[in-house]
Amino acid sequence: MKNDYTVYDYFLMMSLISFLGFLLENIWLAERKGYVDNRNMNLPFLIGYGIAVMFIYFILGVPGNSKLFLYYVLVFVIVSLGEIMLGTIVEKLCGIYYWDYTNLPLHVTRYTSFFTSIGFSLIITGFMKNGFIPIMDMIHAHSNTSLKVLSVILITALCLDFLVSFYYMFKHKDFYRLWQHKSISGNIREMIQTK
């Protein structure tokens, strides 16, 4: 673990991962359900992904070649428990099923499944092994006052967006839907079904 990264570097990385999480969820949604949406947020960021990956970094660091499988197993456990905890908390507070994997094989509760945890863990482990340190080094090397200000603005905006969105879900006991569009695969599916 590098010691000279600053809090601003971590904020920028957390923002980047949050954006990548938003993209990942919408890719999954586009292929699985045929549409993309705002994922219950105003901004195209899912801060939970940023928090989760940074938590993994601070707890486990990045994987080395000799203990790569052990790292993957630990990430698998963290991802599975994290999904169950977040899903259950949102269900209890907001009265909604934040997501539902019960139609997937080998699901454990409605909030995690063996196959989704395998997928998330592979993506996270691959990113931590191959991308995390090079990206952090690049962020740190280009650090200046403007990027520091940007990092604080981004994290503040992500936190406020999270609070606003979850307040809406808590108050209305419903999802925070702002927009939804058919994906390319959704349009193709619709064309096939109408023929």
Side-chain angles (χ1 to χ4, degrees):
M1 214 178 287
K2 205 159 173 168
N3 294 326
D4 56 351
Y5 295 145
T6 68
V7 67
Y8 307 106
D9 299 334
Y10 292 123
F11 282 173
L12 282 174
M13 178 59 101
M14 194 167 156
S15 300
L16 173 64
I17 294 165
S18 299
F19 175 70
L20 293 174
F22 178 85
L23 292 180
L24 180 68
E25 284 213 3
N26 267 305
I27 289 167
W28 166 263
L29 199 60
E31 290 308 309
R32 193 142 189 274
K33 298 202 173 174
Y35 64 85
V36 294
D37 68 19
N38 64 296
R39 307 311 299 139
N40 298 301
M41 298 291 148
N42 292 291
L43 302 173
F45 298 89
L46 295 176
I47 197 169
Y49 281 84
I51 291 169
V53 173
M54 296 310 292
F55 174 80
I56 289 168
Y57 174 69
F58 287 118
I59 298 299
L60 303 178
V62 294
N65 290 328
S66 62
K67 295 188 177 175
L68 189 59
F69 182 72
L70 175 61
Y71 188 94
Y72 172 79
V73 169
L74 292 172
V75 170
F76 180 92
V77 171
I78 291 169
V79 165
S80 299
L81 293 176
E83 282 197 308
I84 291 170
M85 286 190 316
L86 178 60
T88 303
I89 289 168
V90 172
E91 181 182 340
K92 298 296 182 201
L93 291 178
C94 302
I96 58 174
Y97 300 136
Y98 204 25
W99 63 89
D100 190 347
Y101 293 153
T102 53
N103 61 344
L104 296 177
L106 299 176
H107 64 274
V108 180
T109 75
R110 74 178 59 250
Y111 297 117
T112 196
S113 81
F114 184 71
F115 294 112
T116 55
S117 291
I118 284 175
F120 280 128
S121 301
L122 281 172
I123 291 167
I124 292 168
T125 301
F127 177 75
M128 297 304 275
K129 174 150 181 50
N130 301 306
F132 190 91
I133 295 300
I135 294 170
M136 281 299 291
D137 287 347
M138 186 175 70
I139 289 170
H140 185 72
H142 293 89
S143 185
N144 58 39
T145 302
S146 297
L147 279 180
K148 289 177 181 176
V149 170
L150 175 64
S151 74
V152 172
I153 290 170
L154 278 171
I155 285 299
T156 302
L158 268 63
C159 290
L160 289 174
D161 190 27
F162 175 83
L163 292 173
V164 166
S165 301
F166 271 83
Y167 176 73
Y168 178 93
M169 292 193 311
F170 176 76
K171 184 176 180 186
H172 297 278
K173 307 299 183 200
D174 199 5
F175 294 100
Y176 187 52
R177 290 190 179 100
L178 294 178
W179 56 266
Q180 183 180 86
H181 302 290
K182 280 185 192 163
S183 64
I184 294 169
S185 62
N187 284 324
I188 292 169
R189 260 186 244 151
E190 187 176 283
M191 287 186 331
I192 291 169
Q193 288 172 351
T194 56
K195 287 186 178 181

